[in-house]
Amino acid sequence: MNDNHRKKKDEKAEGGVTRRHFLTGAGIGAVGLAAGAPAVEGATEKDAANLIAAGEAVPVTLRINGTRQRLLVEPRWSLAYILREKLLLTGTKLGCDRGECGACTVLVDGVPRYSCMTLALEAEDREITTLEGLLEGEELGAVQRAFEEKDALQCGYCTPGQVMAVEGLLRSNPDPTLEEIRTGVSGNLCRCGTYPNIFKAARLAADLKRGKGGGS
C-alpha cells in the first residue's frame, strides 16, 4: 500500500466521511451556534459569516431619565455599556463587570439593578434611572446631598452605585430601619470601608425626602 492510499484510508471516518470534511463541517456548525442560529445542512463558511453579519445590531427603545432613546444595539451589549459608551452617562461606573461589586447599579422601574448584568434589550421600554437622573434641575438630589453632608465616600468610585441603591431602597421603603438600610446596600461593596457614613447618609436622605430636612 503506497503512502497516498494509506493517507486517504486513514482520513476516512465511519460512513465514508473524511476527517477533513468532518472538521470543516464542525467549524461551520460552531459558527452558526455562536451566531444564535441553527446550523443549516450544506451551509458554507460564507453562509455562516452572513448569519453573523445579519445579527450585528437591532433597534431598541430605552427610556432613560425620562427621555426616550432610539438606538441600534448588538444583542450582547450590556445596559452599562450603552449608558457609558453610547450615551456618555458616565455616572454609572464599571467595577467588576460581573455582578459582584454594585458600582454599576441603576434603577430599572424603580428597582436597583446591576447594569453590567442587564442586557440593553432586556431594558427596552422600561424606566431606567441613572445617577444623572437624580438631579433636581442643577441641584443635587436628596440622596446625593445626604452622601455629601455625611461624607459617605472616600475614593468615591463605588459612590454612584451606593447612591442608586439607597435611592431604590427609599422609593420602596421611605422610613427604613438601620437593619433595612444595611440590607438595602448589601449588594454594593465599598473597599474603603465607609459603611458607617453610608448608613448615616441613607438615614439623612430618608429624612430629607420626607421633608424633615435633617437628622442623624
Side-chain angles (χ1 to χ4, degrees), residues 182-205:
R182 290 167 64 93
T183 300
V185 299
S186 61
N188 296 71
L189 301 181
C190 175
R191 290 173 174 82
C192 302
T194 58
Y195 295 109
N197 287 4
I198 290 172
F199 302 153
K200 291 177 183 177
R203 183 66 262 164
L204 174 58

Side-chain angles (χ1 to χ4, degrees), residues 6-202:
R6 185 182 294 109
K7 182 177 180 181
K8 290 179 180 179
K9 183 177 180 180
D10 288 343
E11 280 190 338
K12 288 288 184 178
E14 186 175 354
V17 179
T18 67
R19 289 193 184 110
R20 181 179 296 109
H21 291 160
F22 172 77
L23 292 173
T24 300
I28 293 172
V31 172
L33 290 174
V40 179
E41 185 177 357
T44 66
E45 293 181 5
K46 182 178 180 181
D47 294 330
N50 288 337
L51 287 175
I52 295 172
E56 280 185 355
V58 295
V60 64
T61 300
L62 301 177
R63 296 203 311 268
I64 303 171
N65 300 328
T67 301
R68 292 174 66 87
Q69 303 279 359
R70 185 71 171 166
L71 304 158
L72 285 174
V73 307
E74 292 186 27
R76 64 187 176 88
W77 285 353
S78 70
L79 180 58
Y81 176 78
I82 292 293
L83 293 173
R84 289 183 56 82
E85 304 300 329
K86 299 300 180 182
L87 299 176
L88 303 182
L89 294 171
T90 54
T92 302
K93 303 302 182 187
L94 271 180
C96 65
D97 204 17
R98 57 186 181 185
E100 293 182 356
C101 73
C104 68
T105 301
V106 298
L107 303 185
V108 178
D109 290 338
V111 178
R113 187 157 174 173
Y114 295 153
S115 61
C116 76
M117 298 296 289
T118 303
L119 293 175
L121 293 181
E122 292 181 75
E124 183 165 23
D125 285 328
R126 302 176 71 178
E127 191 60 49
I128 302 160
T129 306
T130 71
L131 186 74
E132 294 86 350
L134 300 187
L135 292 171
E136 298 171 357
E138 296 296 321
E139 302 296 325
L140 295 177
V143 178
Q144 295 163 314
R145 297 200 310 272
F147 268 69
E148 180 184 37
E149 183 170 330
K150 292 300 181 181
D151 196 23
L153 64 153
Q154 192 164 325
C155 80
Y157 197 83
C158 75
T159 304
Q162 301 279 2
V163 167
M164 298 309 298
V166 171
E167 177 72 25
L169 169 65
L170 297 182
R171 289 189 183 190
S172 63
N173 182 359
D175 190 18
T177 64
L178 175 59
E179 190 58 36
E180 288 169 334
I181 291 171
R182 290 167 64 93
T183 300
V185 299
S186 61
N188 296 71
L189 301 181
C190 175
R191 290 173 174 82
C192 302
T194 58
Y195 295 109
N197 287 4
I198 290 172
F199 302 153
K200 291 177 183 177

